[in-house]
Amino acid sequence: MTKIPFPSVYKFSSLNINSLSALAEGKAWFSNLADFNDPFEGQFVIETPDFTIESEREKLFVHEAKKLPFNVMKESALDLVRYRYNQSPADYERFFKDLVESTRNDFYNSYLNTGAYCVASDIPDTPMTQVSNALMWSHYADGMRGFCIKFDANKFYSSLNSLNEDDFYWSPVHYEDKLCIVDYYDFDNMAKNATTRAIHTKHSGWEYEYECRFITHRSGLYKYDHNAISCIFIGDKMPSSHQRILLDICEKNLPDVEIVCVKTHKNSYSIELGKYIKV
């Protein structure tokens, strides 16, 4: 299990029956990636060989020939691939293009049906934590009417794998201005992980999240250890009646976890943190 290189991750949530019950039970909801809010989720471009260049064609023929069951054929696999191309170059190119597109779509659809728990991680070389990120509170915690769970990243990851039957892995999200390009040969060889990086690449406009994802093969609720929680941050726009419900859950299930109030600064576009005062 690969260790996560940053100490903490942050889950911003609106307050509702699902987020409250999950917190009380020590469970994390892994959503289908197809349900995420980024319309470009998981998209990437495959760079295929140029059939007008003989050296690229020959490289492709050698690559495709290795997939054929040469031990039961009279002719060499490479000769058969060349023969099929020479019979009708246009038909072969069309066949290859359709094959790549079909394989990509199968992979993409399979990817979108996996489960993911997305969190924010601290931005390297920046003294402020994600708790001070007003955009995260605005976009994911109901405009500071919700709350944020601070996890010890490796305790959370370790407990997912120890308390559940499914396997989990984690991946940082990478940010680029253009869709990620994957070379065909890397795409055809999943062991190189080039495609894994591609599907966890988002437009640089999302970089403020500095997202980290915990991934498993299906959506659902998964158990984690409450000891992985190091702090709960409560937005000061949360109604007092909701605060009392959240506090009751914390006192019963997380008695040793620090509760911190988060509010906007009166004289600047910044976030203030302070000890929580019961309402």
Side-chain angles (χ1 to χ4, degrees), residues 81-114:
V81 175
R82 288 192 186 118
Y83 174 76
R84 181 169 184 180
Y85 173 79
N86 290 328
Q87 274 191 314
S88 176
D91 286 346
Y92 188 90
E93 288 183 43
R94 190 159 44 249
F95 160 77
F96 178 73
K97 180 180 178 180
D98 291 344
L99 177 64
V100 171
E101 186 65 17
S102 175
T103 304
R104 180 201 175 281
N105 289 340
D106 288 345
F107 177 85
Y108 179 66
N109 291 330
S110 175
Y111 161 77
L112 290 181
N113 287 322
T114 60

Side-chain angles (χ1 to χ4, degrees), residues 32 71 82 130 147 168:
N32 278 335
N71 58 317
R82 288 192 186 118
Q130 284 285 19
F147 62 100
F168 298 81

Side-chain angles (χ1 to χ4, degrees), residues 108-239:
Y108 179 66
N109 291 330
S110 175
Y111 161 77
L112 290 181
N113 287 322
T114 60
Y117 188 70
C118 299
V119 294
S121 60
D122 285 331
I123 301 173
D125 304 318
T126 302
M128 293 190 303
T129 73
Q130 284 285 19
V131 178
S132 300
N133 190 331
L135 289 176
M136 294 300 294
W137 283 101
S138 175
H139 295 166
Y140 298 104
D142 196 17
M144 212 169 275
R145 298 174 186 85
F147 62 100
C148 172
I149 307 172
K150 180 181 179 181
F151 291 104
D152 179 299
N154 284 290
K155 284 184 179 179
F156 178 73
Y157 182 37
S158 176
S159 67
L160 283 175
N161 279 291
S162 63
L163 297 177
N164 301 281
E165 294 182 358
D166 299 58
D167 293 326
F168 298 81
Y169 73 91
W170 74 277
S171 175
V173 170
H174 308 279
Y175 301 96
E176 305 288 347
D177 289 328
K178 296 181 180 180
L179 282 177
C180 191
I181 297 175
V182 179
D183 181 77
Y184 167 71
Y185 301 104
D186 290 339
F187 174 71
D188 208 34
N189 180 5
M190 294 299 179
K192 289 192 174 182
N193 293 322
T195 311
T196 301
R197 178 185 172 92
I199 60 179
H200 293 306
T201 296
K202 297 172 68 171
H203 186 267
S204 55
W206 296 89
E207 193 167 9
Y208 70 92
E209 296 181 349
Y210 211 74
E211 185 180 343
C212 169
R213 293 175 171 179
F214 297 94
I215 307 290
T216 191
H217 75 283
R218 59 181 177 176
S219 63
L221 279 170
Y222 293 93
K223 184 71 178 174
Y224 67 84
D225 193 330
H226 268 147
N227 289 330
I229 297 178
S230 55
C231 189
I232 302 286
F233 298 91
I234 298 179
D236 78 332
K237 294 183 181 295
M238 184 185 292

